[in-house]
Amino acid sequence: MGGASVLPSTTPVLVSFLLALFCLWIAPQVVNAKDQSITRHYKFNIELKNVTRLCHTKGIITVNGMFPGPRVVTREGDRLVVKVVNHVSNNITIHWHGVRQLQSGWADGPAYITQCPIQTNQTYVYNFTIVGQTGTLWWHAHLSWLRATVYGPLIILPRRNTSYPFAKPYKEIPILFGEWFNADPMAVINQSLLTGAGPNVSDAYTLNGLPGPLYNCSGKDTFKLKVKPGKTYMLRLINAALNEELFFRIANHTLTVVEADAVYVKPFKTSILLISPGQTTNVLLKTKSNPPNATFFMLARPYFTGMGTFDNSTVAGILEYEQTPSTNLKNRPLLKPSLPPINATNIAANFSSKFRSLANSQFPANVPQSVDKKFFFTIGLGSSPCPKNQTCQGPNGTKFAASVNNISMALPTTALLQAHFFGQSNGVYTPDFPTNPLDPFNYTGTPPNNTLVMNGTKAVVLPFNTTVELVLQDTSILGAESHPLHLHGYNFFVVGQGFGNFDPKKDPANFNLVDPVERNTIGIPSGGWVVIRFRADNPGVWLMHCHFDVHLSWGLRMAWIVLDGKLPNQKLLPPPADLPKC
């Protein structure tokens, strides 16, 4: 029969049955081949681990004993199922920073906003799908200052057979900036909240958990990036520091910025980067074609505009070309880059102005062209009265506070999302957050004498699909300062920014509604303003806050409540059965 095969003689009924079975057997493969999405399981054990940095050993709270925590890798369209088991005495939650959490707000993670914390010996499964997002994001604890040690990269690869909008890099390297405290970070912030003073600053910055040779006793704790000549590396930069924006530079090398907050941008070259807490930036590093007879420092140090104290030190890693038999490592000079002055606001503003969306047919910038609701929020510091029979060390004997529209958000004792979903908001929050400052003043001029803030748990309620324009205005109360503001549940478009007071008559004429950068965290300029737009198409309760943890602890946060739409895919799903209880 020339190699052909035939079915053995059998009844037509049996043939039909076998064919039906065969079709059932191959059907899932066909669907999966087309869809390609898979479910990825991770287990996060929250546990204590002894770690030594700066010749100082202490027990820190970690995920799976790792500092920084494990790398979570997924693809666009995949479902992530992360089982978190709490083995420590602290309560904890995990936030998936930048993940939109479409219809899955229960997995967003900020304590007392979308969930009650996971208590000792309790478990919670974060279950969500990555929809329409690729790039570098990250995860971190979202309760008090636990994210000092509980954080790690979240890398979302493109769907299979989908490429980057640039040549595929030779290698991809996550680089996480952090802060190291010799003391317990929780004790540091608790002491600050008790006395009303600013918290003690960190003892070092870290690069992938390592302080580097510019710190005492840390030469052996140095991150080394070994590269080959003539290759392109993608560095996935994440600023996980608690309270500092950082300038970053590699000696004698230029970087090409290609992505911000997991959204591609029009590529631009730079030698100096600025990255705020919460932000991620992907850069391409093209190595020199001939191995140079040198090694190169990678340095990061703060950009700081506030009035208080800060950790004025520098973290260093080393870029090292792989040696050939003829290279002599011992005689190689170690080249050091210069970094901008600590308060180089012009350099910061110039850098942030370079970011533009790709805005092409494959990666459109869907900027809302018309606006349903406009908001004006002042962002800044203030003070709270000192309790009776107590001495406070804040401004003029008060306690430091921080606010949005002069309201310092008090966290409820139950989760806002539960209260909203079950219609039990009474006594938990009120839906009357002010759309404008209650007492307008010259925001960036001479500050008013009264620095006291109001305390409350108020939210803005938005109908589904509302287009929002929000002016974020820095204030000079207790000193103008840059504030990295992060919005949960959404990306937004940065349509304008500038210095001084926002002028509603003149400034909108200069808005970029064509290719503004799309982000989830933006630095409000010191003594300036930024305007963002977004479409409220994701139902739930979404926190917006300063990503300086000291300001977050002082109340610089508020909540947006986005109502359900009419269609099934526009409604928040019910909570999972294992949602932690307060």
Side-chain angles (χ1 to χ4, degrees):
M1 295 282 297
S5 62
V6 292
L7 282 167
S9 171
T10 183
T11 64
V13 175
L14 185 57
V15 170
S16 302
F17 175 70
L18 288 170
L19 277 172
L21 264 184
F22 179 70
C23 290
L24 274 175
W25 175 69
I26 64 163
Q29 323 301 106
V30 172
V31 170
N32 285 345
K34 185 184 172 193
D35 182 42
Q36 295 183 328
S37 300
I38 63 169
T39 299
R40 297 174 188 261
H41 293 266
Y42 286 85
K43 188 175 182 185
F44 278 18
N45 284 306
I46 310 298
E47 56 193 32
L48 279 173
K49 172 84 173 177
N50 277 345
V51 172
T52 304
R53 295 290 184 272
L54 313 178
C55 279
H56 185 94
T57 303
K58 65 168 188 172
I60 65 170
I61 296 174
T62 67
V63 170
N64 301 345
M66 298 169 67
F67 172 70
R71 192 181 303 185
V72 174
V73 181
T74 182
R75 286 192 185 274
E76 180 189 346
D78 286 353
R79 177 180 290 272
L80 272 176
V81 177
V82 185
K83 183 179 183 179
V84 178
V85 187
N86 187 5
H87 301 285
V88 300
S89 58
N90 301 71
N91 290 348
I92 197 153
T93 68
I94 301 290
H95 170 51
W96 311 92
H97 185 111
V99 174
R100 287 208 54 198
Q101 298 292 2
L102 292 166
Q103 296 185 280
S104 56
W106 306 102
D108 190 42
Y112 302 105
I113 306 297
T114 59
Q115 67 168 98
C116 298
I118 308 165
Q119 297 173 33
T120 308
N121 297 325
Q122 286 192 344
T123 296
Y124 180 46
V125 177
Y126 291 92
N127 187 337
F128 56 94
T129 301
I130 305 289
V131 181
Q133 292 184 279
T134 60
T136 303
L137 293 172
W138 62 302
W139 56 265
H140 60 81
H142 210 302
L143 195 161
S144 188
W145 279 22
L146 286 173
R147 79 173 178 86
T149 56
V150 179
Y151 65 89
L154 172 57
I155 294 167
I156 306 167
L157 301 171
R159 290 180 183 275
R160 291 196 185 280
N161 306 319
T162 305
S163 58
Y164 298 127
F166 45 83
K168 185 175 168 61
Y170 173 68
K171 263 188 182 169
E172 302 179 6
I173 320 279
I175 292 187
L176 292 88
F177 301 104
E179 279 182 271
W180 173 265
F181 292 78
N182 283 335
D184 173 9
M186 298 291 282
V188 170
I189 184 56
N190 290 342
Q191 172 78 4
S192 163
L193 294 174
L194 190 67
T195 63
N200 290 341
V201 299
S202 57
D203 295 280
Y205 298 109
T206 56
L207 203 160
N208 286 347
L210 302 169
L214 304 185
Y215 290 102
N216 173 44
C217 183
S218 299
K220 66 183 191 313
D221 293 326
T222 302
F223 174 71
K224 290 187 176 173
L225 177 56
K226 294 192 173 168
V227 297
K228 293 183 175 179
K231 301 284 188 189
T232 299
Y233 293 77
M234 183 156 79
L235 309 183
R236 297 177 176 268
L237 306 174
I238 299 167
N239 187 351
L242 257 65
N243 296 309
E244 305 298 350
E245 298 179 90
L246 296 168
F247 286 120
F248 173 68
R249 190 171 191 178
I250 303 177
N252 292 40
H253 287 74
T254 302
L255 301 168
T256 303
V257 176
V258 292
E259 182 194 293
D261 291 356
V263 182
Y264 297 123
V265 297
K266 289 188 171 79
F268 66 91
K269 286 185 160 54
T270 184
S271 59
I272 295 170
L273 278 142
L274 175 68
I275 184 163
S276 296
Q279 290 185 333
T280 62
T281 310
N282 282 7
V283 298
L284 300 179
L285 164 69
K286 181 96 166 56
T287 58
K288 299 173 186 303
S289 47
N290 295 315
N293 187 30
T295 52
F296 304 90
F297 262 135
M298 308 186 287
L299 299 184
R301 82 162 182 216
Y303 161 58
F304 184 78
T305 54
M307 306 271 278
T309 55
F310 66 101
D311 179 355
N312 184 8
S313 64
T314 304
V315 61
I318 293 174
L319 178 71
E320 195 171 277
Y321 282 73
E322 285 188 7
Q323 60 195 95
T324 60
S326 61
T327 52
N328 184 347
L329 275 178
K330 284 186 180 169
N331 297 331
R332 281 189 187 179
L334 180 53
L335 303 184
K336 198 172 179 179
S338 61
L339 283 167
I342 293 291
N343 59 352
T345 291
N346 286 341
I347 291 176
N350 181 40
F351 177 73
S352 64
S353 71
K354 291 179 180 175
F355 286 82
R356 293 277 187 278
S357 285
L358 277 183
N360 58 23
S361 56
Q362 193 182 356
F363 301 101
N366 298 315
V367 194
Q369 298 295 311
S370 61
V371 172
D372 298 324
K373 293 202 173 177
K374 292 189 177 185
F375 298 86
F376 186 103
F377 288 177
T378 56
I379 306 290
L381 301 187
S383 59
S384 291
C386 191
K388 284 180 181 171
N389 306 323
Q390 191 182 330
T391 305
C392 292
Q393 297 166 12
N396 302 316
T398 63
K399 287 187 160 195
F400 268 112
S403 67
V404 182
N405 274 354
N406 207 43
I407 295 172
S408 182
M409 182 180 179
L411 283 181
T413 52
T414 186
L416 293 183
L417 186 58
Q418 276 170 287
H420 160 67
F421 186 83
F422 292 109
Q424 298 166 343
S425 63
N426 201 11
V428 180
Y429 68 87
T430 53
D432 56 352
F433 190 90
T435 56
N436 290 281
L438 299 175
D439 297 305
F441 61 99
N442 180 3
Y443 306 114
T444 55
T446 306
N449 291 329
N450 180 8
T451 63
L452 292 177
V453 304
M454 294 183 286
N455 286 292
T457 311
K458 299 173 181 288
V460 172
V461 178
L462 295 171
F464 183 82
N465 228 24
T466 303
T467 51
V468 173
E469 180 180 289
L470 170 60
V471 179
L472 296 161
Q473 173 74 58
D474 184 36
T475 65
S476 56
I477 297 174
L478 301 182
E481 190 169 351
S482 174
H483 295 276
L485 212 84
H486 171 50
L487 174 61
H488 288 228
Y490 290 92
N491 285 345
F492 50 75
F493 291 96
V494 182
V495 298
Q497 50 194 325
F499 290 106
N501 295 338
F502 175 75
D503 185 333
K505 292 193 176 74
K506 292 182 184 171
D507 289 324
N510 297 317
F511 284 177
N512 175 6
L513 302 179
V514 177
D515 62 350
V517 68
E518 183 182 346
R519 308 201 69 133
N520 64 56
T521 307
I522 185 66
I524 302 166
S526 177
W529 51 270
V530 65
V531 180
I532 66 173
R533 286 187 178 183
F534 65 95
R535 180 180 295 277
D537 57 0
N538 188 9
V541 177
W542 306 108
L543 186 65
M544 189 175 79
H545 64 93
C546 183
H547 225 281
F548 289 151
D549 270 21
V550 59
H551 294 172
L552 175 62
S553 300
W554 287 342
L556 209 169
R557 55 193 168 206
M558 57 79 63
W560 302 88
I561 295 179
V562 179
L563 302 177
D564 282 351
K566 291 183 177 146
L567 302 176
N569 67 345
Q570 298 170 344
K571 297 182 192 300
L572 179 66
L573 300 174
D578 65 339
L579 187 73
K581 295 177 172 55
C582 284

